[in-house]
Amino acid sequence: MASLTLEDVAKQAGVSRSTVSRVLNDRPNVRKDVRERVQNVIKSTGFRPHAAARALASQRSWTIGLVLPLSVTLFFTDPYYSHLTKGIAQACNQYNYTLALFLVGTKEDEEKIFPRVSRKGLLDGVIVQSGHHGEQQIIGHLHDAKMPLVVAGRPFRSDNVSYIDIDNINAAFIAVTHLIRLGNKRIGTIAGPQHSTVGLDRKAGYVKALNERGFSIDESLIVEGDFTESGGYYAMKKLLSAKPDAVFAASDVMALGAMRAVRESGLSIPDDVAFVGFDDLPIATLSDVQLTTIRQPVAQFGAKAVDTLIDLVENGINPPRHIIMETELVIRESCGAPHGKK
Amino acid sequence: MASLTLEDVAKQAGVSRSTVSRVLNDRPNVRKDVRERVQNVIKSTGFRPHAAARALASQRSWTIGLVLPLSVTLFFTDPYYSHLTKGIAQACNQYNYTLALFLVGTKEDEEKIFPRVSRKGLLDGVIVQSGHHGEQQIIGHLHDAKMPLVVAGRPFRSDNVSYIDIDNINAAFIAVTHLIRLGNKRIGTIAGPQHSTVGLDRKAGYVKALNERGFSIDESLIVEGDFTESGGYYAMKKLLSAKPDAVFAASDVMALGAMRAVRESGLSIPDDVAFVGFDDLPIATLSDVQLTTIRQPVAQFGAKAVDTLIDLVENGINPPRHIIMETELVIRESCGAPHGKK
DNA sequence: ACGAAAACTGGGAGCGCTCTCAACGCGAGC
DNA sequence: GCTCGCGTTGAGAGCGCTCCCAGTTTTCGT
């Protein structure tokens, strides 16, 4: 298979390389009949340009990278990542970009991955999930290399960097305010890790809601989880001794774990303890008591990240784009609001 | 950034392009002191060869593709895929390969993805997850394009194709035999989709175990699920009317759904209905009643797939490799065996 | 019908590597 | 001391595409 080249196609169509290239890339200035003739040859031969050759000549690889943390358990237990990945993958597909996946687990992974993502000729741009340990470092790398970059989730140092996020503070505020309105007096929270902006912001929203309604902040009602199911479970065990009548969990997965702990202790949901989660992943509806939660548009979020990245690739990385997406409170059973079908 | 090239490095080190290339690729026939001199320049300049240029010249992209089905819900709900992906990604990283991810959802996705994976100059090889709808077609494509290919999970037509799998029949056989030994008389199964070899094989193992122990096959005790939690749930609702005293579910996720249905109906696990699942994903231990299940080595499975693929890339695709990995019965609470801590 | 402008087409020069091959020492063997 | 052979090095020719530019054809106004 002396693999077909542009040249061969050109010969068959009786035109030059350049013309075939123009047809291939949908460029103007090709006579209609010539274009069609070339297209026919392309179709009949099944010709597809050599990706590496094109990348070398055009200095565009049509590939974007996705860097995801894999902090031991997170990638497994939190379906959030699957959903995000799916949204990004589908968007890439739509734009005919290839998606390169980089899962960063160990320190050694980092060492191998970091140089690779900034390597010339491999990636046109990169999406980095914020909130993991080496975040700062990789963002710096990428920035130095002038590699177009979109961070999914606001990073710690967000100047000069494009990111896409939801308004975590406000969303959490709404969730907690909802619990207050329902008459709960001792509202606890299972917060996310406080080394991530998500964790910080959602807790800030919780605090803000309580303050605004004149509640004082009781530190014993705040427990930090790690976004895993068992993290939620153990956090709730701790929280239980503070006797909360409602809990705002910073993720659905943690909410599920927490609800398991509550059930085990013999209390009922939502009567004894009301719950609001965060994410609205499909699992939110699978539990015995369906979860009231904040819906964030995970798939669109991914698509928008790709959109933005491609924009950066094509139009330069300045000025940095900051995009905030909308969220929504979805009321189900676990909060005890009249809406619940129970 | 007039991006550094091989030529520049060569000049700085006072040698030729060729010599730098040799050093870069760890090839022999370079004098020790020269090699060191070049390595120093490489290190101090931070030079990294242009990926596309290298791919074009060497006809090797150092990238492999992973094609995953995304049949609506599956990729979300079944953590199996996350684990597999993780195993594959880490193996790629180890070998300094880049992983390109292709998530196939809709028919349109297929149309965009199928030509892309067989495209010259993009991928050195491909791993395809078996069991999805367009499986046959893409395997055919790839085979015609002589693209090195490893199928994860035995495909329907397995001649001429390398694949890696576990012995599903035997594993299911062991699971069901375990339930028989525990004294259960009416053992049902929630089978996987019968259009996939996994679904078929695990059911075959179930049938084989019953036959071997002199049980007759009661069709009302066999219900087909779709590997989702809710699929398991509804399958169990159906199965309940056949009054099984034990159930072998073809996946952990389905087992979880089924157990939810059993609990809802007021029966207890394992006393009224015993359970054995399949996969041994972390979720197996998260339920109130920990799941007895078949452990399959998902991460190693992925690593082995990458291993095999690279072997095919380097040593030719013939003869096709067929690799079967070991599984293990993990006894926990849900089967009611004395081992359970309940 | 004629010239200028616009539209189209082809050739050539890369893009930054790898790889073959010829040339060049240099020590060993006779 | 001379040749042979081996390890080492560099030059050159691509890999298959894009893109610029110059040349050619077509179009259009007058």
Side-chain angles (χ1 to χ4, degrees), chain B residues 6 21 25 27 47 50 57:
Chain B
L6 242 198
S21 172
N25 297 295
R27 254 180 262 288
F47 170 75
H50 190 287

PDB file of all heavy atoms in Angstrom, chain B residues 6 21 25 27 47 50 57, chain C residues 15-21:
ATOM      1  N   LEU B   6      16.228  21.147  15.590  1.00  0.00           N
ATOM      2  CA  LEU B   6      17.358  20.233  15.664  1.00  0.00           C
ATOM      3  C   LEU B   6      18.621  20.916  15.170  1.00  0.00           C
ATOM      4  O   LEU B   6      19.697  20.771  15.738  1.00  0.00           O
ATOM      5  CB  LEU B   6      17.093  19.046  14.749  1.00  0.00           C
ATOM      6  CG  LEU B   6      16.987  17.666  15.335  1.00  0.00           C
ATOM      7  CD1 LEU B   6      17.171  16.647  14.243  1.00  0.00           C
ATOM      8  CD2 LEU B   6      18.055  17.485  16.387  1.00  0.00           C
ATOM      9  N   SER B  21      20.170  13.971  16.264  1.00  0.00           N
ATOM     10  CA  SER B  21      19.063  13.032  16.117  1.00  0.00           C
ATOM     11  C   SER B  21      19.413  11.692  16.762  1.00  0.00           C
ATOM     12  O   SER B  21      18.599  11.099  17.467  1.00  0.00           O
ATOM     13  CB  SER B  21      18.744  12.839  14.632  1.00  0.00           C
ATOM     14  OG  SER B  21      17.800  11.811  14.470  1.00  0.00           O
ATOM     15  N   ASN B  25      17.480   9.981  20.015  1.00  0.00           N
ATOM     16  CA  ASN B  25      16.777   8.714  19.939  1.00  0.00           C
ATOM     17  C   ASN B  25      17.567   7.562  20.537  1.00  0.00           C
ATOM     18  O   ASN B  25      17.289   6.400  20.247  1.00  0.00           O
ATOM     19  CB  ASN B  25      16.422   8.409  18.488  1.00  0.00           C
ATOM     20  CG  ASN B  25      15.477   9.450  17.934  1.00  0.00           C
ATOM     21  OD1 ASN B  25      14.343   9.580  18.379  1.00  0.00           O
ATOM     22  ND2 ASN B  25      15.957  10.237  16.978  1.00  0.00           N
ATOM     23  N   ARG B  27      20.363   6.298  20.008  1.00  0.00           N
ATOM     24  CA  ARG B  27      20.960   5.345  19.075  1.00  0.00           C
ATOM     25  C   ARG B  27      22.453   5.241  19.334  1.00  0.00           C
ATOM     26  O   ARG B  27      23.061   6.174  19.844  1.00  0.00           O
ATOM     27  CB  ARG B  27      20.696   5.797  17.648  1.00  0.00           C
ATOM     28  CG  ARG B  27      19.653   4.942  16.973  1.00  0.00           C
ATOM     29  CD  ARG B  27      19.428   5.418  15.572  1.00  0.00           C
ATOM     30  NE  ARG B  27      18.252   6.270  15.506  1.00  0.00           N
ATOM     31  CZ  ARG B  27      17.026   5.818  15.624  1.00  0.00           C
ATOM     32  NH1 ARG B  27      16.795   4.535  15.838  1.00  0.00           N
ATOM     33  NH2 ARG B  27      16.000   6.629  15.544  1.00  0.00           N
ATOM     34  N   PHE B  47      15.373  21.850  24.596  1.00  0.00           N
ATOM     35  CA  PHE B  47      14.894  21.455  23.278  1.00  0.00           C
ATOM     36  C   PHE B  47      14.047  20.181  23.305  1.00  0.00           C
ATOM     37  O   PHE B  47      14.376  19.220  23.975  1.00  0.00           O
ATOM     38  CB  PHE B  47      16.074  21.236  22.334  1.00  0.00           C
ATOM     39  CG  PHE B  47      15.673  20.610  21.035  1.00  0.00           C
ATOM     40  CD1 PHE B  47      15.026  21.363  20.064  1.00  0.00           C
ATOM     41  CD2 PHE B  47      15.899  19.261  20.798  1.00  0.00           C
ATOM     42  CE1 PHE B  47      14.633  20.777  18.869  1.00  0.00           C
ATOM     43  CE2 PHE B  47      15.502  18.678  19.602  1.00  0.00           C
ATOM     44  CZ  PHE B  47      14.868  19.430  18.643  1.00  0.00           C
ATOM     45  N   HIS B  50       9.996  18.548  17.419  1.00  0.00           N
ATOM     46  CA  HIS B  50       8.658  18.852  16.933  1.00  0.00           C
ATOM     47  C   HIS B  50       7.932  17.549  16.622  1.00  0.00           C
ATOM     48  O   HIS B  50       8.366  16.763  15.789  1.00  0.00           O
ATOM     49  CB  HIS B  50       8.788  19.709  15.685  1.00  0.00           C
ATOM     50  CG  HIS B  50       7.514  20.303  15.204  1.00  0.00           C
ATOM     51  ND1 HIS B  50       6.547  19.546  14.592  1.00  0.00           N
ATOM     52  CD2 HIS B  50       7.026  21.556  15.260  1.00  0.00           C
ATOM     53  CE1 HIS B  50       5.531  20.337  14.264  1.00  0.00           C
ATOM     54  NE2 HIS B  50       5.810  21.556  14.666  1.00  0.00           N
ATOM     55  N   ALA B  57       8.535  12.248   9.399  1.00  0.00           N
ATOM     56  CA  ALA B  57       9.767  11.636   8.922  1.00  0.00           C
ATOM     57  C   ALA B  57       9.859  10.161   9.288  1.00  0.00           C
ATOM     58  O   ALA B  57      10.341   9.343   8.517  1.00  0.00           O
ATOM     59  CB  ALA B  57      10.969  12.384   9.474  1.00  0.00           C
TER      60      ALA B  57
ATOM     61  P    DC C  15      11.603  26.512   6.847  1.00  0.00           P
ATOM     62  OP1  DC C  15      11.579  27.885   7.403  1.00  0.00           O
ATOM     63  OP2  DC C  15      12.850  25.723   6.848  1.00  0.00           O
ATOM     64  O5'  DC C  15      10.511  25.613   7.565  1.00  0.00           O
ATOM     65  C5'  DC C  15       9.220  26.105   7.870  1.00  0.00           C
ATOM     66  C4'  DC C  15       8.398  24.959   8.419  1.00  0.00           C
ATOM     67  O4'  DC C  15       7.952  24.140   7.326  1.00  0.00           O
ATOM     68  C3'  DC C  15       9.211  24.037   9.325  1.00  0.00           C
ATOM     69  O3'  DC C  15       8.979  24.424  10.671  1.00  0.00           O
ATOM     70  C2'  DC C  15       8.655  22.639   9.039  1.00  0.00           C
ATOM     71  C1'  DC C  15       7.871  22.789   7.730  1.00  0.00           C
ATOM     72  N1   DC C  15       8.375  21.972   6.582  1.00  0.00           N
ATOM     73  C2   DC C  15       7.496  21.170   5.851  1.00  0.00           C
ATOM     74  O2   DC C  15       6.317  21.138   6.193  1.00  0.00           O
ATOM     75  N3   DC C  15       7.973  20.455   4.800  1.00  0.00           N
ATOM     76  C4   DC C  15       9.260  20.516   4.468  1.00  0.00           C
ATOM     77  N4   DC C  15       9.675  19.811   3.422  1.00  0.00           N
ATOM     78  C5   DC C  15      10.172  21.326   5.190  1.00  0.00           C
ATOM     79  C6   DC C  15       9.696  22.026   6.236  1.00  0.00           C
ATOM     80  P    DG C  16      10.228  24.772  11.616  1.00  0.00           P
ATOM     81  OP1  DG C  16       9.664  25.473  12.791  1.00  0.00           O
ATOM     82  OP2  DG C  16      11.311  25.397  10.827  1.00  0.00           O
ATOM     83  O5'  DG C  16      10.753  23.349  12.099  1.00  0.00           O
ATOM     84  C5'  DG C  16       9.862  22.511  12.794  1.00  0.00           C
ATOM     85  C4'  DG C  16      10.405  21.104  12.765  1.00  0.00           C
ATOM     86  O4'  DG C  16      10.427  20.622  11.404  1.00  0.00           O
ATOM     87  C3'  DG C  16      11.838  20.952  13.273  1.00  0.00           C
ATOM     88  O3'  DG C  16      11.848  19.839  14.126  1.00  0.00           O
ATOM     89  C2'  DG C  16      12.631  20.689  12.009  1.00  0.00           C
ATOM     90  C1'  DG C  16      11.622  19.923  11.194  1.00  0.00           C
ATOM     91  N9   DG C  16      11.869  19.903   9.768  1.00  0.00           N
ATOM     92  C8   DG C  16      12.477  20.872   9.007  1.00  0.00           C
ATOM     93  N7   DG C  16      12.548  20.565   7.737  1.00  0.00           N
ATOM     94  C5   DG C  16      11.946  19.312   7.652  1.00  0.00           C
ATOM     95  C6   DG C  16      11.724  18.475   6.526  1.00  0.00           C
ATOM     96  O6   DG C  16      12.024  18.678   5.348  1.00  0.00           O
ATOM     97  N1   DG C  16      11.074  17.291   6.879  1.00  0.00           N
ATOM     98  C2   DG C  16      10.694  16.965   8.159  1.00  0.00           C
ATOM     99  N2   DG C  16      10.084  15.784   8.311  1.00  0.00           N
ATOM    100  N3   DG C  16      10.891  17.736   9.214  1.00  0.00           N
ATOM    101  C4   DG C  16      11.524  18.895   8.887  1.00  0.00           C
ATOM    102  P    DC C  17      13.011  19.475  15.109  1.00  0.00           P
ATOM    103  OP1  DC C  17      12.737  20.035  16.406  1.00  0.00           O
ATOM    104  OP2  DC C  17      14.305  19.750  14.459  1.00  0.00           O
ATOM    105  O5'  DC C  17      12.742  17.920  15.236  1.00  0.00           O
ATOM    106  C5'  DC C  17      13.553  16.964  14.699  1.00  0.00           C
ATOM    107  C4'  DC C  17      12.740  16.024  13.834  1.00  0.00           C
ATOM    108  O4'  DC C  17      12.495  16.681  12.580  1.00  0.00           O
ATOM    109  C3'  DC C  17      13.530  14.776  13.495  1.00  0.00           C
ATOM    110  O3'  DC C  17      13.141  13.748  14.401  1.00  0.00           O
ATOM    111  C2'  DC C  17      13.160  14.463  12.075  1.00  0.00           C
ATOM    112  C1'  DC C  17      12.619  15.761  11.519  1.00  0.00           C
ATOM    113  N1   DC C  17      13.465  16.384  10.474  1.00  0.00           N
ATOM    114  C2   DC C  17      13.489  15.823   9.189  1.00  0.00           C
ATOM    115  O2   DC C  17      12.837  14.793   8.974  1.00  0.00           O
ATOM    116  N3   DC C  17      14.221  16.419   8.220  1.00  0.00           N
ATOM    117  C4   DC C  17      14.906  17.530   8.490  1.00  0.00           C
ATOM    118  N4   DC C  17      15.601  18.098   7.499  1.00  0.00           N
ATOM    119  C5   DC C  17      14.927  18.109   9.792  1.00  0.00           C
ATOM    120  C6   DC C  17      14.202  17.515  10.744  1.00  0.00           C
ATOM    121  P    DT C  18      14.197  12.566  14.661  1.00  0.00           P
ATOM    122  OP1  DT C  18      13.665  11.770  15.763  1.00  0.00           O
ATOM    123  OP2  DT C  18      15.544  13.130  14.722  1.00  0.00           O
ATOM    124  O5'  DT C  18      14.101  11.714  13.306  1.00  0.00           O
ATOM    125  C5'  DT C  18      12.902  11.005  12.994  1.00  0.00           C
ATOM    126  C4'  DT C  18      13.141  10.186  11.745  1.00  0.00           C
ATOM    127  O4'  DT C  18      13.528  11.046  10.653  1.00  0.00           O
ATOM    128  C3'  DT C  18      14.243   9.144  11.873  1.00  0.00           C
ATOM    129  O3'  DT C  18      13.826   8.014  11.138  1.00  0.00           O
ATOM    130  C2'  DT C  18      15.434   9.816  11.228  1.00  0.00           C
ATOM    131  C1'  DT C  18      14.760  10.600  10.113  1.00  0.00           C
ATOM    132  N1   DT C  18      15.484  11.815   9.642  1.00  0.00           N
ATOM    133  C2   DT C  18      15.696  11.963   8.288  1.00  0.00           C
ATOM    134  O2   DT C  18      15.350  11.154   7.458  1.00  0.00           O
ATOM    135  N3   DT C  18      16.360  13.129   7.939  1.00  0.00           N
ATOM    136  C4   DT C  18      16.807  14.120   8.783  1.00  0.00           C
ATOM    137  O4   DT C  18      17.367  15.115   8.346  1.00  0.00           O
ATOM    138  C5   DT C  18      16.549  13.884  10.191  1.00  0.00           C
ATOM    139  C7   DT C  18      16.999  14.905  11.194  1.00  0.00           C
ATOM    140  C6   DT C  18      15.916  12.766  10.549  1.00  0.00           C
ATOM    141  P    DC C  19      14.439   6.558  11.440  1.00  0.00           P
ATOM    142  OP1  DC C  19      13.355   5.703  11.934  1.00  0.00           O
ATOM    143  OP2  DC C  19      15.679   6.715  12.244  1.00  0.00           O
ATOM    144  O5'  DC C  19      14.869   6.061   9.993  1.00  0.00           O
ATOM    145  C5'  DC C  19      14.502   6.814   8.830  1.00  0.00           C
ATOM    146  C4'  DC C  19      15.514   6.570   7.720  1.00  0.00           C
ATOM    147  O4'  DC C  19      16.182   7.813   7.412  1.00  0.00           O
ATOM    148  C3'  DC C  19      16.624   5.582   8.074  1.00  0.00           C
ATOM    149  O3'  DC C  19      16.937   4.847   6.918  1.00  0.00           O
ATOM    150  C2'  DC C  19      17.773   6.484   8.508  1.00  0.00           C
ATOM    151  C1'  DC C  19      17.578   7.651   7.530  1.00  0.00           C
ATOM    152  N1   DC C  19      18.165   8.937   8.003  1.00  0.00           N
ATOM    153  C2   DC C  19      18.578   9.881   7.058  1.00  0.00           C
ATOM    154  O2   DC C  19      18.455   9.624   5.857  1.00  0.00           O
ATOM    155  N3   DC C  19      19.108  11.048   7.495  1.00  0.00           N
ATOM    156  C4   DC C  19      19.221  11.296   8.797  1.00  0.00           C
ATOM    157  N4   DC C  19      19.730  12.462   9.169  1.00  0.00           N
ATOM    158  C5   DC C  19      18.805  10.349   9.781  1.00  0.00           C
ATOM    159  C6   DC C  19      18.283   9.190   9.343  1.00  0.00           C
ATOM    160  P    DT C  20      17.729   3.445   7.007  1.00  0.00           P
ATOM    161  OP1  DT C  20      16.687   2.403   7.074  1.00  0.00           O
ATOM    162  OP2  DT C  20      18.775   3.491   8.054  1.00  0.00           O
ATOM    163  O5'  DT C  20      18.427   3.397   5.576  1.00  0.00           O
ATOM    164  C5'  DT C  20      17.797   4.045   4.456  1.00  0.00           C
ATOM    165  C4'  DT C  20      18.841   4.710   3.586  1.00  0.00           C
ATOM    166  O4'  DT C  20      19.273   5.955   4.180  1.00  0.00           O
ATOM    167  C3'  DT C  20      20.103   3.870   3.372  1.00  0.00           C
ATOM    168  O3'  DT C  20      20.422   3.888   1.991  1.00  0.00           O
ATOM    169  C2'  DT C  20      21.159   4.585   4.199  1.00  0.00           C
ATOM    170  C1'  DT C  20      20.676   6.030   4.099  1.00  0.00           C
ATOM    171  N1   DT C  20      21.135   6.934   5.187  1.00  0.00           N
ATOM    172  C2   DT C  20      21.682   8.154   4.865  1.00  0.00           C
ATOM    173  O2   DT C  20      21.825   8.541   3.724  1.00  0.00           O
ATOM    174  N3   DT C  20      22.060   8.927   5.939  1.00  0.00           N
ATOM    175  C4   DT C  20      21.949   8.599   7.283  1.00  0.00           C
ATOM    176  O4   DT C  20      22.326   9.365   8.154  1.00  0.00           O
ATOM    177  C5   DT C  20      21.370   7.303   7.548  1.00  0.00           C
ATOM    178  C7   DT C  20      21.226   6.840   8.970  1.00  0.00           C
ATOM    179  C6   DT C  20      20.988   6.533   6.513  1.00  0.00           C
ATOM    180  P    DC C  21      21.442   2.809   1.396  1.00  0.00           P
ATOM    181  OP1  DC C  21      20.831   2.313   0.146  1.00  0.00           O
ATOM    182  OP2  DC C  21      21.856   1.871   2.465  1.00  0.00           O
ATOM    183  O5'  DC C  21      22.677   3.732   1.029  1.00  0.00           O
ATOM    184  C5'  DC C  21      22.455   5.041   0.489  1.00  0.00           C
ATOM    185  C4'  DC C  21      23.735   5.860   0.600  1.00  0.00           C
ATOM    186  O4'  DC C  21      23.778   6.522   1.888  1.00  0.00           O
ATOM    187  C3'  DC C  21      25.015   5.024   0.509  1.00  0.00           C
ATOM    188  O3'  DC C  21      25.939   5.697  -0.310  1.00  0.00           O
ATOM    189  C2'  DC C  21      25.497   4.961   1.945  1.00  0.00           C
ATOM    190  C1'  DC C  21      25.053   6.334   2.454  1.00  0.00           C
ATOM    191  N1   DC C  21      24.942   6.438   3.928  1.00  0.00           N
ATOM    192  C2   DC C  21      25.240   7.659   4.565  1.00  0.00           C
ATOM    193  O2   DC C  21      25.573   8.621   3.875  1.00  0.00           O
ATOM    194  N3   DC C  21      25.143   7.744   5.916  1.00  0.00           N
ATOM    195  C4   DC C  21      24.775   6.670   6.620  1.00  0.00           C
ATOM    196  N4   DC C  21      24.689   6.811   7.945  1.00  0.00           N
ATOM    197  C5   DC C  21      24.467   5.423   5.998  1.00  0.00           C
ATOM    198  C6   DC C  21      24.562   5.349   4.666  1.00  0.00           C
TER     199       DC C  21
END
